[in-house]
Amino acid sequence: MKIAVLKELWPNETRVAASPETVKKFCGLGAEVVVEKAAGKGASIPDAAFKDAGASIAATAKAALKDADVVLKVRRPMIEGERQVELADFASGQALCCQMNALTDADFVDAMAKAGVTGFAMELMPRISRAQSMDILSSQSNLAGYKSVLDAATEFGRAFPMMMTAAGTVPPARVFVMGVGVAGLQAIATARRLGAIVSATDVRPATKEQVESLGASFVAVEDEEFTQAQTEGGYAKEMSDAYKAKQAALIAETIAKQDIVICTALIPGRPAPRLVDEDMLKSMKPGSVVVDLAVEAGGNCAGSTPGKIVTKHGVKIVGHVNVPGRVAEDASKLFAKNLLNFLTPMIDEETKSLKIDLEDEVVNGTLVTKDGKIVHPLLTQQKQEDAADNAEDAAGDDDKAEDAEAGSATDDGADAADAKAKGD
């Protein structure tokens, strides 16, 4: 079995989907690994390190892809109409493992199906115990949460811990974390290690204990709706407008007292919820900092801009993109290990080839396309709903056309009657 590791071409993408450690282990499983030249440059992993681990180096992506059975990438290949058409070099039957944003990027999923590529969307990994070591969202979010606090500290004009000096006392910074997933928990832990007074909020009741176990205080409207605000998969549910209003009032009161706000709230397949509005920004002290980790999904904070640090009402709003890529070496190693853990059970010990078990919950949860078809239940259901909506719209248009024709015929009859009456 041949595994190809490609260089990332998306802007600001510094990671690579393999590490010398995972290359060595794939080779130990009987696979041949080919890495595109300079694929690890952004992550400070030279070609020589891959070569020493047992990989061969291909001069181009096309050369790496030739006869490959499995292709590893961090982000999905580009398609027609984008900066560079990467998918065109793929062959039908090849398996692709990467982060695809499959729930929101229908054009890519359609193109992948047409190309005959077997696609595994790693961001759709089921939230089960066995799959924790394969979960790219967790591994990358963990680093993003850590880096978000360091980015905040860089932009903040004061120190984090309390300092008692002969010249006076420096008060500790107050940090408020919005969204207590993996990124939020790591942000809490990092801010606490730096000496800040930390509080956090989330709509999921299970997070309260986690927040308090890290030494932070929990902020939320704890009513009946709050107790049911979590899906079976562990994600946050969309809350009612009434709850949002109550929570917003509490958050507004809390934010006015903070020095730093870290926003991490995301809902899979949906735009990021707006957590910090214009009025909240106005209430913050001059020199405060907001770090918006959800900026690429629309942003949790009003005014956050992808790839930029902007100042509104005296508050710095940090909108760095691809925050895990700002810790590229560690992010790459963790991402690569996720892929290794995902693929290892699928490598047949005897034939050393890829054996896809469609009965496996992990496979079913991530498999998006196979044999030229879109096969993931969430995507097929979405297709059916879209088709039903289109049919309903078409039926509505036909009804309107019939009504228009009937109205026209009535008008013509009336005109003829009027003409006859005038003639008489």
Side-chain angles (χ1 to χ4, degrees):
M1 182 177 76
K2 179 179 175 181
I3 298 174
V5 180
L6 301 187
K7 181 166 61 179
E8 301 297 319
L9 299 182
W10 286 96
N12 303 306
E13 186 52 78
T14 53
R15 294 170 292 176
V16 61
S19 67
E21 178 193 357
T22 61
V23 166
K24 188 174 182 179
K25 289 188 175 180
F26 276 130
C27 291
L29 292 170
E32 174 193 352
V33 182
V34 181
V35 179
E36 184 183 356
K37 183 179 178 181
K41 184 177 179 180
S44 303
I45 305 175
D47 291 342
F50 286 123
K51 200 168 182 180
D52 291 344
S56 57
I57 307 300
T60 64
K62 195 167 187 176
L65 285 167
K66 186 178 180 184
D67 300 325
D69 300 290
V70 179
V71 184
L72 305 183
K73 281 182 62 49
V74 174
R75 296 182 63 186
R76 67 159 180 83
M78 294 186 215
I79 59 175
E80 193 73 39
E82 295 177 328
R83 293 166 62 95
Q84 186 168 332
V85 184
E86 296 178 87
L87 193 62
D89 291 330
F90 281 64
S92 179
Q94 288 180 326
L96 169 65
C97 301
C98 67
Q99 181 168 349
M100 296 178 182
N101 299 326
L103 295 181
T104 55
D105 202 339
D107 289 343
F108 171 73
V109 173
D110 287 340
M112 186 168 57
K114 289 175 184 175
V117 173
T118 300
F120 292 97
M122 297 301 294
E123 75 274 9
L124 299 180
M125 188 66 62
R127 289 294 179 93
I128 57 175
S129 297
R130 182 166 63 89
Q132 287 180 354
S133 65
M134 313 171 192
D135 189 351
I136 63 164
L137 295 184
S138 292
S139 72
Q140 303 304 292
S141 294
N142 189 52
L143 288 171
Y146 159 78
K147 186 62 174 172
S148 69
V149 176
L150 300 190
D151 287 337
T154 299
E155 300 302 328
F156 188 48
R158 288 183 17 224
F160 263 56
M162 182 174 73
M163 297 181 186
M164 300 182 71
T165 74
T169 300
V170 175
R174 291 184 174 274
V175 176
F176 184 45
V177 178
M178 304 187 76
V180 189
V182 175
L185 289 170
Q186 184 56 248
I188 292 168
T190 303
R192 287 277 298 156
R193 284 194 290 267
L194 291 177
I197 295 174
V198 185
S199 56
T201 187
D202 197 291
V203 297
R204 295 169 299 161
T207 59
K208 180 179 180 179
E209 185 178 344
Q210 296 170 329
V211 167
E212 293 175 345
S213 71
L214 290 171
S217 57
F218 190 70
V219 179
V221 175
E222 299 183 44
D223 61 9
E224 185 177 348
E225 184 175 0
F226 174 77
T227 64
Q228 302 172 2
Q230 186 169 326
T231 67
E232 291 182 4
Y235 293 104
K237 285 183 181 178
E238 184 75 20
M239 304 299 282
S240 70
D241 290 340
Y243 182 89
K244 288 178 182 177
K246 290 187 288 185
Q247 179 76 349
L250 177 61
I251 296 306
E253 180 184 339
T254 304
I255 280 180
K257 304 171 186 175
Q258 307 303 313
D259 299 304
I260 291 166
V261 176
I262 309 288
C263 300
T264 73
L266 288 167
I267 301 173
R270 303 279 297 276
R274 181 55 52 87
L275 303 179
V276 181
D277 61 25
E278 198 86 19
D279 289 336
M280 293 176 185
L281 287 173
K282 290 177 183 177
S283 74
M284 296 180 74
K285 294 173 284 188
S288 298
V289 177
V290 176
V291 180
D292 193 345
L293 288 181
V295 68
E296 292 173 272
N300 293 148
C301 179
S304 63
T305 306
K308 293 184 179 181
I309 299 172
V310 298
T311 301
K312 295 193 73 173
H313 311 297
V315 178
K316 283 186 177 180
I317 305 171
V318 180
H320 292 311
V321 296
N322 188 22
V323 176
R326 293 167 60 77
V327 197
E329 185 173 351
D330 286 332
S332 297
K333 289 177 180 177
L334 294 180
F335 194 102
K337 193 67 177 290
N338 292 147
L339 294 179
L340 172 70
N341 293 335
F342 174 67
L343 285 170
T344 296
M346 287 193 276
I347 299 176
D348 189 271
E349 291 184 7
E350 294 182 5
T351 64
K352 310 300 181 186
S353 60
L354 192 69
K355 187 176 181 180
I356 300 174
D357 180 6
L358 297 177
E359 301 300 318
D360 189 323
E361 187 177 357
V362 169
V363 172
N364 274 327
T366 55
L367 185 63
V368 173
T369 57
K370 192 176 188 300
D371 299 328
K373 298 177 182 178
I374 298 172
V375 297
H376 196 281
L378 290 177
L379 296 175
T380 53
Q381 180 183 348
Q382 188 175 329
K383 286 276 187 185
Q384 289 169 358
E385 289 174 356
D386 290 345
D389 289 342
N390 291 336
E392 189 175 326
D393 290 342
D397 291 340
D398 289 342
D399 289 342
K400 287 179 184 177
E402 288 177 6
D403 290 344
E405 287 177 10
S408 177
T410 302
D411 290 342
D412 289 344
D415 290 344
D418 288 344
K420 185 177 186 302
K422 288 178 182 177
D424 294 341

